[in-house]
Short mmCIF file of all heavy atoms in Angstrom, two decimals:
data_model
loop_
_atom_site.label_atom_id
_atom_site.label_comp_id
_atom_site.label_asym_id
_atom_site.label_seq_id
_atom_site.Cartn_x
_atom_site.Cartn_y
_atom_site.Cartn_z
N LEU A 182 4.82 4.13 -17.87
CA LEU A 182 4.82 5.47 -17.25
C LEU A 182 5.96 5.57 -16.24
O LEU A 182 6.66 6.58 -16.18
CB LEU A 182 3.48 5.75 -16.59
CG LEU A 182 2.30 6.04 -17.54
CD1 LEU A 182 0.97 6.00 -16.79
CD2 LEU A 182 2.49 7.39 -18.24
N MET A 183 6.13 4.51 -15.44
CA MET A 183 7.25 4.51 -14.49
C MET A 183 8.58 4.63 -15.23
O MET A 183 9.49 5.36 -14.80
CB MET A 183 7.21 3.21 -13.67
CG MET A 183 6.03 3.12 -12.70
SD MET A 183 5.78 1.42 -12.08
CE MET A 183 7.27 1.15 -11.13
N ILE A 184 8.68 3.91 -16.35
CA ILE A 184 9.93 3.91 -17.12
C ILE A 184 10.20 5.32 -17.70
O ILE A 184 11.36 5.76 -17.81
CB ILE A 184 9.86 2.83 -18.22
CG1 ILE A 184 9.94 1.44 -17.57
CG2 ILE A 184 10.98 3.00 -19.25
CD1 ILE A 184 9.73 0.29 -18.52
N ALA A 185 9.13 6.03 -18.03
CA ALA A 185 9.29 7.39 -18.60
C ALA A 185 9.99 8.33 -17.61
O ALA A 185 10.58 9.33 -18.02
CB ALA A 185 7.91 7.94 -18.98
N SER A 186 9.96 7.99 -16.32
CA SER A 186 10.62 8.85 -15.34
C SER A 186 12.13 8.93 -15.57
O SER A 186 12.78 9.88 -15.15
CB SER A 186 10.34 8.37 -13.90
OG SER A 186 11.01 7.13 -13.68
N LEU A 187 12.68 7.94 -16.28
CA LEU A 187 14.13 7.94 -16.56
C LEU A 187 14.52 9.08 -17.51
O LEU A 187 15.69 9.41 -17.65
CB LEU A 187 14.55 6.60 -17.20
CG LEU A 187 14.54 5.37 -16.30
CD1 LEU A 187 14.69 4.11 -17.14
CD2 LEU A 187 15.65 5.47 -15.27
N LEU A 188 13.51 9.67 -18.17
CA LEU A 188 13.81 10.68 -19.22
C LEU A 188 14.08 12.06 -18.65
O LEU A 188 14.48 12.95 -19.39
CB LEU A 188 12.64 10.75 -20.21
CG LEU A 188 12.48 9.57 -21.16
CD1 LEU A 188 11.09 9.56 -21.80
CD2 LEU A 188 13.55 9.57 -22.23
N THR A 189 13.82 12.27 -17.35
CA THR A 189 13.96 13.62 -16.81
C THR A 189 14.65 13.62 -15.44
O THR A 189 14.49 12.66 -14.68
CB THR A 189 12.61 14.34 -16.71
OG1 THR A 189 12.79 15.59 -16.04
CG2 THR A 189 11.57 13.52 -15.94
N LYS A 190 15.34 14.71 -15.14
CA LYS A 190 15.97 14.83 -13.81
C LYS A 190 14.95 15.29 -12.78
O LYS A 190 15.24 15.31 -11.59
CB LYS A 190 17.17 15.77 -13.86
CG LYS A 190 16.82 17.17 -14.34
CD LYS A 190 18.08 18.03 -14.32
CE LYS A 190 17.87 19.44 -14.85
NZ LYS A 190 16.55 19.99 -15.00
N ASP A 191 13.75 15.66 -13.22
CA ASP A 191 12.70 16.12 -12.28
C ASP A 191 11.82 14.95 -11.84
O ASP A 191 11.75 13.92 -12.53
CB ASP A 191 11.77 17.14 -12.99
CG ASP A 191 12.51 18.41 -13.38
OD1 ASP A 191 13.58 18.67 -12.82
OD2 ASP A 191 12.00 19.12 -14.27
N PRO A 192 11.09 15.14 -10.76
CA PRO A 192 10.18 14.07 -10.32
C PRO A 192 8.97 13.90 -11.23
O PRO A 192 8.40 14.89 -11.72
CB PRO A 192 9.70 14.55 -8.94
CG PRO A 192 10.61 15.66 -8.54
CD PRO A 192 11.13 16.27 -9.80
N LEU A 193 8.59 12.66 -11.48
CA LEU A 193 7.36 12.34 -12.22
C LEU A 193 6.39 11.75 -11.19
O LEU A 193 6.72 10.77 -10.52
CB LEU A 193 7.65 11.32 -13.33
CG LEU A 193 6.42 10.86 -14.11
CD1 LEU A 193 5.78 11.99 -14.89
CD2 LEU A 193 6.80 9.73 -15.08
N VAL A 194 5.23 12.38 -11.06
CA VAL A 194 4.23 11.91 -10.08
C VAL A 194 3.16 11.13 -10.83
O VAL A 194 2.58 11.62 -11.79
CB VAL A 194 3.59 13.10 -9.33
CG1 VAL A 194 2.57 12.61 -8.32
CG2 VAL A 194 4.67 13.95 -8.67
N LEU A 195 2.92 9.90 -10.38
CA LEU A 195 1.88 9.08 -11.01
C LEU A 195 0.76 8.83 -10.00
O LEU A 195 1.01 8.44 -8.85
CB LEU A 195 2.46 7.75 -11.49
CG LEU A 195 3.56 7.84 -12.54
CD1 LEU A 195 4.04 6.44 -12.94
CD2 LEU A 195 3.08 8.60 -13.80
#
Side-chain angles (χ1 to χ4, degrees):
L182 287 167
M183 290 165 67
I184 290 174
S186 69
L187 289 169
L188 288 164
T189 174
K190 58 179 177 15
D191 296 341
L193 177 65
V194 180
L195 299 180

